Amino acid sequence: MATSADIVTDLAHQVCLSPDCGSTFDVGEVHTACPKCGSLLDIAYDWERSQVPDSLRWFEKKWSRRNEPLCRSGVWRFSELLPFAPPEKIVTIGEGQTPLIATDGVAKYVGTNPGTLFLEYEGMNPSGSFKDNGMTAAFTHAHMIGAKRAACASTGNTSASLALYCCSSKLMQAVIFIGSGKISYGKLSQALDYGALTIQIAGDFDDAMHRVQQVSKELGIYLVNSVNPFRLEGQKTIMYRVLESLDWQVPDWIVVPGGNLGNSSAFGKAFHELHSLGLIDRIPRLAVINAAGANTLNSLYNSHNLRWNGGRPDQSIINKYYAGLDAASSKADTIASAIEINRPVNLTKCLRALEWCDGVVREVTDQQMLDAKAQVGANGLGCEPASAASVAGAKLLREEGVIAPSDRVVCILTGHQLKDPTATVAYHTTDQEEFNRVLGKRGVSRAAFANRAVKVENDLDEIVRAIQLNS
Ligand code: F0G
């Protein structure tokens, strides 16, 4: 597609993931798959010529310059580890100011020792999810090549993020594809408020993803889904901030929800690069947690033994699996709408991350996710249902003995609590009909940690009595 002559960085190039192809492309080219063989693309760097510091502690210097937008950004203050963009082209809205918080109440729930369970609160990003880490990178690349329109298919967070970058920078128009009835109101309201052209198609996320790829090719619109390799460069920085918050010590586990598998892919690349550069001396283990109603990775990895296999995963296993889904007209189905995805676009990259990080894959039910979510909320944070897959997954792995009580575990809270109030209110409701309508049909039968509103007459004595009874 488009190329641009004014790209000054020559430290980065795009490279095909397949070892049998290995084609390379300039960063000025726009591809969402290798034009030669169709595999995913990676961004690779000439680390010899780039200015990588010899210690991660070097990045602390940037804190004293946080009046400068590129030092304040939690993504771009690590720009030496993703040097693909000339500084004057970088588009930042202050993403990545996200805390890592040790939460003993959640540690107790998960079953690890006090002081060992950390929540990385990505909901604190400007659009309320981790997507801003990747969007600032993809958007910067789109700006580098002079794009005027950018598109994505989304379960809601990518679209909210794209819409926000478009309307705050005024550099591009956002075109978003969503499945009808598949997006929570919090997320839809963001896209509408931020002025995105919103295309609601009769279908689910997998259908929307398929269509947006066709349409962006046909109309030459820049695609920001995580098939875009620049997106994942930004998402690497979530791991840099985790290390930074742990005073640059490597935790034992990173636990992350798995949807399109962009995060897990990016995290694996982050740690692999840091290790190769001698900036960390070991790599944490990675746990990717699917929703049971959208469990392609878990099925392929654990039941069909699909592995990275040196870059040659057995494609016939994947094809057969998808043919089976089609034959059964099987659609993803979970309350965690953010990860309601059956055809994860970054599957092979995630397999590579699992290999690099000695990873494991699990699935958790909607019940497990909602209980975990309630625990996250009750302990002072808050997340949407998909994010709680990380905490529910950590609990499961602890019960299995895969995670030890003394392990230091970081769960990624990918999206803010306010993204999906319907799920939260239904969990805590006293209205059995509402509970059944929203959750019952998903196999959720109880709300062990519900905080039910107390209903009283509009009468002072009644209200006082209710408070005394309940406090
Ligand atoms: N958590 C949240 C809150 C998400 O919005 C998503 C993905 C994921 C987890 C899964 O992350 O794809 O990197 O494995 N949401 C996408 C969207 C699909 O369109 O907003 P992943």
mmCIF file of all heavy atoms in Angstrom, residues 129-131 153-159 187 205 225-226 231-232 235 256-264 288 338-339 341 346 384 386-387 414-416, ligand 1:
data_model
loop_
_atom_site.group_PDB
_atom_site.id
_atom_site.type_symbol
_atom_site.label_atom_id
_atom_site.label_comp_id
_atom_site.label_asym_id
_atom_site.label_seq_id
_atom_site.Cartn_x
_atom_site.Cartn_y
_atom_site.Cartn_z
ATOM 1 N N SER A 129 -8.596 1.184 28.824
ATOM 2 C CA SER A 129 -8.093 -0.178 28.648
ATOM 3 C C SER A 129 -6.647 -0.162 28.179
ATOM 4 O O SER A 129 -6.114 0.878 27.774
ATOM 5 C CB SER A 129 -8.943 -0.970 27.648
ATOM 6 O OG SER A 129 -8.495 -0.739 26.319
ATOM 7 N N PHE A 130 -6.041 -1.344 28.207
ATOM 8 C CA PHE A 130 -4.637 -1.495 27.791
ATOM 9 C C PHE A 130 -4.421 -1.135 26.326
ATOM 10 O O PHE A 130 -3.285 -0.939 25.893
ATOM 11 C CB PHE A 130 -4.188 -2.950 28.008
ATOM 12 C CG PHE A 130 -4.702 -3.922 26.981
ATOM 13 C CD1 PHE A 130 -3.957 -4.201 25.847
ATOM 14 C CD2 PHE A 130 -5.924 -4.543 27.135
ATOM 15 C CE1 PHE A 130 -4.428 -5.090 24.883
ATOM 16 C CE2 PHE A 130 -6.406 -5.424 26.178
ATOM 17 C CZ PHE A 130 -5.663 -5.693 25.053
ATOM 18 N N LYS A 131 -5.507 -1.048 25.568
ATOM 19 C CA LYS A 131 -5.365 -0.846 24.119
ATOM 20 C C LYS A 131 -4.577 0.417 23.782
ATOM 21 O O LYS A 131 -3.946 0.481 22.732
ATOM 22 C CB LYS A 131 -6.730 -0.761 23.447
ATOM 23 C CG LYS A 131 -7.586 -1.982 23.630
ATOM 24 C CD LYS A 131 -7.115 -3.144 22.790
ATOM 25 C CE LYS A 131 -8.000 -4.358 23.053
ATOM 26 N NZ LYS A 131 -7.622 -5.524 22.274
ATOM 27 N N ALA A 153 -11.758 -3.726 13.667
ATOM 28 C CA ALA A 153 -12.904 -4.491 14.170
ATOM 29 C C ALA A 153 -12.695 -4.558 15.660
ATOM 30 O O ALA A 153 -11.548 -4.596 16.114
ATOM 31 C CB ALA A 153 -12.907 -5.891 13.597
ATOM 32 N N SER A 154 -13.778 -4.572 16.418
ATOM 33 C CA SER A 154 -13.536 -4.527 17.857
ATOM 34 C C SER A 154 -14.671 -5.121 18.668
ATOM 35 O O SER A 154 -15.837 -5.062 18.280
ATOM 36 C CB SER A 154 -13.313 -3.083 18.290
ATOM 37 O OG SER A 154 -12.952 -3.019 19.645
ATOM 38 N N THR A 155 -14.276 -5.685 19.819
ATOM 39 C CA THR A 155 -15.269 -6.041 20.824
ATOM 40 C C THR A 155 -15.508 -4.821 21.732
ATOM 41 O O THR A 155 -16.216 -4.928 22.711
ATOM 42 C CB THR A 155 -14.802 -7.264 21.651
ATOM 43 O OG1 THR A 155 -13.515 -6.979 22.219
ATOM 44 C CG2 THR A 155 -14.698 -8.508 20.788
ATOM 45 N N GLY A 156 -14.895 -3.706 21.405
ATOM 46 C CA GLY A 156 -15.244 -2.450 22.069
ATOM 47 C C GLY A 156 -14.079 -1.620 22.570
ATOM 48 O O GLY A 156 -14.141 -0.388 22.540
ATOM 49 N N ASN A 157 -13.035 -2.258 23.028
ATOM 50 C CA ASN A 157 -11.938 -1.466 23.590
ATOM 51 C C ASN A 157 -11.000 -0.907 22.528
ATOM 52 O O ASN A 157 -10.570 0.242 22.625
ATOM 53 C CB ASN A 157 -11.158 -2.291 24.616
ATOM 54 C CG ASN A 157 -11.889 -2.345 25.942
ATOM 55 O OD1 ASN A 157 -12.576 -1.396 26.312
ATOM 56 N ND2 ASN A 157 -11.765 -3.458 26.651
ATOM 57 N N THR A 158 -10.683 -1.710 21.528
ATOM 58 C CA THR A 158 -9.835 -1.184 20.456
ATOM 59 C C THR A 158 -10.541 -0.010 19.788
ATOM 60 O O THR A 158 -9.915 1.012 19.474
ATOM 61 C CB THR A 158 -9.541 -2.275 19.408
ATOM 62 O OG1 THR A 158 -9.021 -3.411 20.078
ATOM 63 C CG2 THR A 158 -8.526 -1.807 18.384
ATOM 64 N N SER A 159 -11.839 -0.157 19.575
ATOM 65 C CA SER A 159 -12.583 0.914 18.896
ATOM 66 C C SER A 159 -12.632 2.175 19.747
ATOM 67 O O SER A 159 -12.468 3.286 19.233
ATOM 68 C CB SER A 159 -13.994 0.441 18.521
ATOM 69 O OG SER A 159 -14.633 -0.167 19.608
ATOM 70 N N LYS A 187 -18.421 0.784 26.247
ATOM 71 C CA LYS A 187 -17.490 0.877 25.113
ATOM 72 C C LYS A 187 -18.159 1.527 23.898
ATOM 73 O O LYS A 187 -17.557 2.357 23.216
ATOM 74 C CB LYS A 187 -16.984 -0.522 24.749
ATOM 75 C CG LYS A 187 -16.269 -1.201 25.901
ATOM 76 C CD LYS A 187 -15.908 -2.650 25.585
ATOM 77 C CE LYS A 187 -15.454 -3.350 26.858
ATOM 78 N NZ LYS A 187 -15.094 -4.749 26.622
ATOM 79 N N PHE A 205 -17.625 -10.801 16.473
ATOM 80 C CA PHE A 205 -16.311 -10.190 16.271
ATOM 81 C C PHE A 205 -15.544 -10.868 15.140
ATOM 82 O O PHE A 205 -14.898 -10.193 14.328
ATOM 83 C CB PHE A 205 -15.470 -10.259 17.564
ATOM 84 C CG PHE A 205 -14.058 -9.785 17.329
ATOM 85 C CD1 PHE A 205 -13.747 -8.437 17.332
ATOM 86 C CD2 PHE A 205 -13.038 -10.693 17.051
ATOM 87 C CE1 PHE A 205 -12.458 -7.991 17.071
ATOM 88 C CE2 PHE A 205 -11.743 -10.256 16.788
ATOM 89 C CZ PHE A 205 -11.453 -8.901 16.807
ATOM 90 N N ASN A 225 -5.973 -3.124 14.038
ATOM 91 C CA ASN A 225 -6.109 -4.338 14.860
ATOM 92 C C ASN A 225 -4.718 -4.924 15.137
ATOM 93 O O ASN A 225 -3.733 -4.533 14.496
ATOM 94 C CB ASN A 225 -6.994 -5.367 14.156
ATOM 95 C CG ASN A 225 -8.464 -5.070 14.381
ATOM 96 O OD1 ASN A 225 -9.132 -4.551 13.494
ATOM 97 N ND2 ASN A 225 -8.963 -5.374 15.563
ATOM 98 N N SER A 226 -4.683 -5.894 16.040
ATOM 99 C CA SER A 226 -3.354 -6.353 16.479
ATOM 100 C C SER A 226 -2.644 -7.234 15.443
ATOM 101 O O SER A 226 -1.539 -7.699 15.689
ATOM 102 C CB SER A 226 -3.439 -7.035 17.845
ATOM 103 O OG SER A 226 -4.395 -8.041 17.847
ATOM 104 N N ARG A 231 1.282 -2.166 16.589
ATOM 105 C CA ARG A 231 0.456 -2.197 17.796
ATOM 106 C C ARG A 231 1.172 -2.943 18.919
ATOM 107 O O ARG A 231 1.251 -2.496 20.065
ATOM 108 C CB ARG A 231 -0.849 -2.948 17.504
ATOM 109 C CG ARG A 231 -2.053 -2.123 17.173
ATOM 110 C CD ARG A 231 -2.893 -1.753 18.385
ATOM 111 N NE ARG A 231 -3.267 -2.825 19.297
ATOM 112 C CZ ARG A 231 -4.394 -3.521 19.233
ATOM 113 N NH1 ARG A 231 -5.271 -3.314 18.287
ATOM 114 N NH2 ARG A 231 -4.674 -4.435 20.148
ATOM 115 N N LEU A 232 1.688 -4.097 18.552
ATOM 116 C CA LEU A 232 2.258 -4.961 19.590
ATOM 117 C C LEU A 232 3.545 -4.385 20.169
ATOM 118 O O LEU A 232 3.901 -4.680 21.313
ATOM 119 C CB LEU A 232 2.479 -6.374 19.039
ATOM 120 C CG LEU A 232 1.206 -7.056 18.515
ATOM 121 C CD1 LEU A 232 1.464 -8.533 18.267
ATOM 122 C CD2 LEU A 232 0.040 -6.906 19.481
ATOM 123 N N GLN A 235 2.454 -2.457 23.043
ATOM 124 C CA GLN A 235 1.978 -3.296 24.151
ATOM 125 C C GLN A 235 3.120 -3.975 24.914
ATOM 126 O O GLN A 235 2.921 -4.420 26.047
ATOM 127 C CB GLN A 235 0.927 -4.290 23.643
ATOM 128 C CG GLN A 235 -0.385 -3.560 23.343
ATOM 129 C CD GLN A 235 -1.442 -4.377 22.612
ATOM 130 O OE1 GLN A 235 -2.129 -3.846 21.754
ATOM 131 N NE2 GLN A 235 -1.583 -5.648 22.936
ATOM 132 N N VAL A 256 -2.445 -13.347 31.912
ATOM 133 C CA VAL A 256 -3.132 -12.390 31.040
ATOM 134 C C VAL A 256 -4.327 -13.066 30.369
ATOM 135 O O VAL A 256 -4.254 -14.237 29.982
ATOM 136 C CB VAL A 256 -2.128 -11.826 29.995
ATOM 137 C CG1 VAL A 256 -1.586 -12.918 29.072
ATOM 138 C CG2 VAL A 256 -2.718 -10.694 29.188
ATOM 139 N N PRO A 257 -5.449 -12.339 30.220
ATOM 140 C CA PRO A 257 -6.561 -12.906 29.459
ATOM 141 C C PRO A 257 -6.158 -13.064 27.996
ATOM 142 O O PRO A 257 -5.375 -12.270 27.480
ATOM 143 C CB PRO A 257 -7.668 -11.843 29.564
ATOM 144 C CG PRO A 257 -7.207 -10.826 30.544
ATOM 145 C CD PRO A 257 -5.737 -10.967 30.689
ATOM 146 N N GLY A 258 -6.709 -14.060 27.335
ATOM 147 C CA GLY A 258 -6.395 -14.274 25.918
ATOM 148 C C GLY A 258 -7.634 -14.116 25.058
ATOM 149 O O GLY A 258 -8.633 -14.813 25.242
ATOM 150 N N GLY A 259 -7.594 -13.160 24.128
ATOM 151 C CA GLY A 259 -8.681 -12.966 23.169
ATOM 152 C C GLY A 259 -8.112 -13.133 21.777
ATOM 153 O O GLY A 259 -8.029 -14.233 21.239
ATOM 154 N N ASN A 260 -7.677 -12.007 21.209
ATOM 155 C CA ASN A 260 -7.002 -12.052 19.911
ATOM 156 C C ASN A 260 -5.524 -12.382 20.062
ATOM 157 O O ASN A 260 -4.793 -12.477 19.089
ATOM 158 C CB ASN A 260 -7.150 -10.691 19.216
ATOM 159 C CG ASN A 260 -7.958 -10.794 17.951
ATOM 160 O OD1 ASN A 260 -8.158 -11.879 17.417
ATOM 161 N ND2 ASN A 260 -8.396 -9.664 17.451
ATOM 162 N N LEU A 261 -5.072 -12.481 21.283
ATOM 163 C CA LEU A 261 -3.717 -12.930 21.640
ATOM 164 C C LEU A 261 -2.621 -11.927 21.274
ATOM 165 O O LEU A 261 -1.459 -12.305 21.087
ATOM 166 C CB LEU A 261 -3.432 -14.319 21.049
ATOM 167 C CG LEU A 261 -4.486 -15.380 21.414
ATOM 168 C CD1 LEU A 261 -4.177 -16.705 20.734
ATOM 169 C CD2 LEU A 261 -4.589 -15.559 22.924
ATOM 170 N N GLY A 262 -2.996 -10.662 21.213
ATOM 171 C CA GLY A 262 -2.003 -9.621 20.958
ATOM 172 C C GLY A 262 -1.126 -9.369 22.178
ATOM 173 O O GLY A 262 0.099 -9.303 22.073
ATOM 174 N N ASN A 263 -1.759 -9.228 23.336
ATOM 175 C CA ASN A 263 -0.981 -8.969 24.549
ATOM 176 C C ASN A 263 0.025 -10.064 24.822
ATOM 177 O O ASN A 263 1.206 -9.798 25.044
ATOM 178 C CB ASN A 263 -1.920 -8.860 25.763
ATOM 179 C CG ASN A 263 -2.211 -7.428 26.147
ATOM 180 O OD1 ASN A 263 -1.477 -6.507 25.760
ATOM 181 N ND2 ASN A 263 -3.260 -7.234 26.908
ATOM 182 N N SER A 264 -0.455 -11.298 24.835
ATOM 183 C CA SER A 264 0.460 -12.402 25.154
ATOM 184 C C SER A 264 1.619 -12.438 24.160
ATOM 185 O O SER A 264 2.773 -12.646 24.545
ATOM 186 C CB SER A 264 -0.302 -13.728 25.177
ATOM 187 O OG SER A 264 -1.193 -13.811 24.089
ATOM 188 N N VAL A 288 -1.733 -17.763 29.783
ATOM 189 C CA VAL A 288 -2.763 -17.125 28.962
ATOM 190 C C VAL A 288 -4.092 -17.793 29.286
ATOM 191 O O VAL A 288 -4.211 -19.021 29.223
ATOM 192 C CB VAL A 288 -2.446 -17.267 27.457
ATOM 193 C CG1 VAL A 288 -3.461 -16.485 26.630
ATOM 194 C CG2 VAL A 288 -1.030 -16.789 27.151
ATOM 195 N N ALA A 338 -15.230 -8.896 25.703
ATOM 196 C CA ALA A 338 -13.944 -8.423 25.165
ATOM 197 C C ALA A 338 -13.136 -9.566 24.550
ATOM 198 O O ALA A 338 -12.355 -9.354 23.631
ATOM 199 C CB ALA A 338 -13.125 -7.749 26.261
ATOM 200 N N ILE A 339 -13.321 -10.767 25.083
ATOM 201 C CA ILE A 339 -12.523 -11.900 24.589
ATOM 202 C C ILE A 339 -13.419 -12.975 23.954
ATOM 203 O O ILE A 339 -13.067 -14.143 23.891
ATOM 204 C CB ILE A 339 -11.622 -12.500 25.703
ATOM 205 C CG1 ILE A 339 -12.431 -12.857 26.950
ATOM 206 C CG2 ILE A 339 -10.512 -11.525 26.054
ATOM 207 C CD1 ILE A 339 -11.606 -13.597 28.023
ATOM 208 N N ILE A 341 -14.002 -14.407 21.214
ATOM 209 C CA ILE A 341 -13.313 -14.524 19.928
ATOM 210 C C ILE A 341 -12.936 -15.983 19.705
ATOM 211 O O ILE A 341 -12.290 -16.586 20.571
ATOM 212 C CB ILE A 341 -12.021 -13.650 19.953
ATOM 213 C CG1 ILE A 341 -12.375 -12.168 20.125
ATOM 214 C CG2 ILE A 341 -11.171 -13.878 18.712
ATOM 215 C CD1 ILE A 341 -11.187 -11.264 20.394
ATOM 216 N N ASN A 346 -3.669 -13.555 16.353
ATOM 217 C CA ASN A 346 -2.239 -13.678 16.682
ATOM 218 C C ASN A 346 -1.857 -15.056 17.204
ATOM 219 O O ASN A 346 -0.868 -15.197 17.935
ATOM 220 C CB ASN A 346 -1.862 -12.612 17.722
ATOM 221 C CG ASN A 346 -1.792 -11.244 17.095
ATOM 222 O OD1 ASN A 346 -0.986 -11.012 16.200
ATOM 223 N ND2 ASN A 346 -2.662 -10.345 17.533
ATOM 224 N N GLU A 384 -13.303 -5.074 34.069
ATOM 225 C CA GLU A 384 -14.415 -5.667 33.339
ATOM 226 C C GLU A 384 -14.267 -7.198 33.363
ATOM 227 O O GLU A 384 -13.200 -7.719 33.735
ATOM 228 C CB GLU A 384 -14.456 -5.118 31.914
ATOM 229 C CG GLU A 384 -13.236 -5.401 31.073
ATOM 230 C CD GLU A 384 -13.484 -5.034 29.604
ATOM 231 O OE1 GLU A 384 -14.217 -5.753 28.896
ATOM 232 O OE2 GLU A 384 -12.922 -4.016 29.198
ATOM 233 N N ALA A 386 -13.702 -9.676 31.250
ATOM 234 C CA ALA A 386 -12.587 -10.352 30.570
ATOM 235 C C ALA A 386 -11.293 -10.222 31.367
ATOM 236 O O ALA A 386 -10.499 -11.162 31.439
ATOM 237 C CB ALA A 386 -12.386 -9.758 29.178
ATOM 238 N N SER A 387 -11.084 -9.063 31.964
ATOM 239 C CA SER A 387 -9.840 -8.834 32.707
ATOM 240 C C SER A 387 -9.709 -9.803 33.869
ATOM 241 O O SER A 387 -8.607 -10.225 34.223
ATOM 242 C CB SER A 387 -9.805 -7.415 33.260
ATOM 243 O OG SER A 387 -10.087 -6.474 32.264
ATOM 244 N N THR A 414 -6.969 -5.776 32.228
ATOM 245 C CA THR A 414 -6.872 -5.175 30.901
ATOM 246 C C THR A 414 -7.834 -4.012 30.671
ATOM 247 O O THR A 414 -7.541 -3.112 29.894
ATOM 248 C CB THR A 414 -7.111 -6.264 29.846
ATOM 249 O OG1 THR A 414 -8.271 -7.022 30.252
ATOM 250 C CG2 THR A 414 -5.913 -7.190 29.725
ATOM 251 N N GLY A 415 -9.001 -4.059 31.326
ATOM 252 C CA GLY A 415 -10.001 -3.020 31.056
ATOM 253 C C GLY A 415 -10.711 -2.572 32.326
ATOM 254 O O GLY A 415 -10.866 -3.336 33.286
ATOM 255 N N HIS A 416 -11.165 -1.342 32.331
ATOM 256 C CA HIS A 416 -11.757 -0.716 33.524
ATOM 257 C C HIS A 416 -13.122 -1.318 33.878
ATOM 258 O O HIS A 416 -13.871 -1.746 33.001
ATOM 259 C CB HIS A 416 -11.897 0.789 33.267
ATOM 260 C CG HIS A 416 -12.043 1.593 34.510
ATOM 261 N ND1 HIS A 416 -13.241 1.739 35.156
ATOM 262 C CD2 HIS A 416 -11.119 2.268 35.233
ATOM 263 C CE1 HIS A 416 -13.058 2.495 36.233
ATOM 264 N NE2 HIS A 416 -11.776 2.821 36.296
HETATM 265 N N1 F0G B 1 -9.115 -7.775 27.839
HETATM 266 C C1 F0G B 1 -9.817 -6.765 27.318
HETATM 267 C C2 F0G B 1 -10.484 -5.821 28.249
HETATM 268 C C3 F0G B 1 -9.908 -6.622 25.911
HETATM 269 O O1 F0G B 1 -10.609 -5.612 25.411
HETATM 270 C C4 F0G B 1 -9.280 -7.562 25.079
HETATM 271 C C5 F0G B 1 -9.376 -7.476 23.635
HETATM 272 C C6 F0G B 1 -8.557 -8.587 25.689
HETATM 273 C C7 F0G B 1 -8.487 -8.666 27.057
HETATM 274 C C8 F0G B 1 -7.850 -9.602 24.879
HETATM 275 O O2 F0G B 1 -6.610 -9.134 24.519
HETATM 276 O O3 F0G B 1 -6.641 -9.641 22.119
HETATM 277 O O4 F0G B 1 -4.543 -9.063 23.289
HETATM 278 O O5 F0G B 1 -5.666 -11.247 23.688
HETATM 279 N N2 F0G B 1 -10.178 -6.715 23.042
HETATM 280 C C9 F0G B 1 -10.185 -6.529 21.599
HETATM 281 C C10 F0G B 1 -11.033 -5.336 21.225
HETATM 282 C C11 F0G B 1 -10.428 -7.730 20.822
HETATM 283 O O6 F0G B 1 -11.545 -5.296 20.109
HETATM 284 O O7 F0G B 1 -11.153 -4.412 22.018
HETATM 285 P P1 F0G B 1 -5.814 -9.823 23.336
#
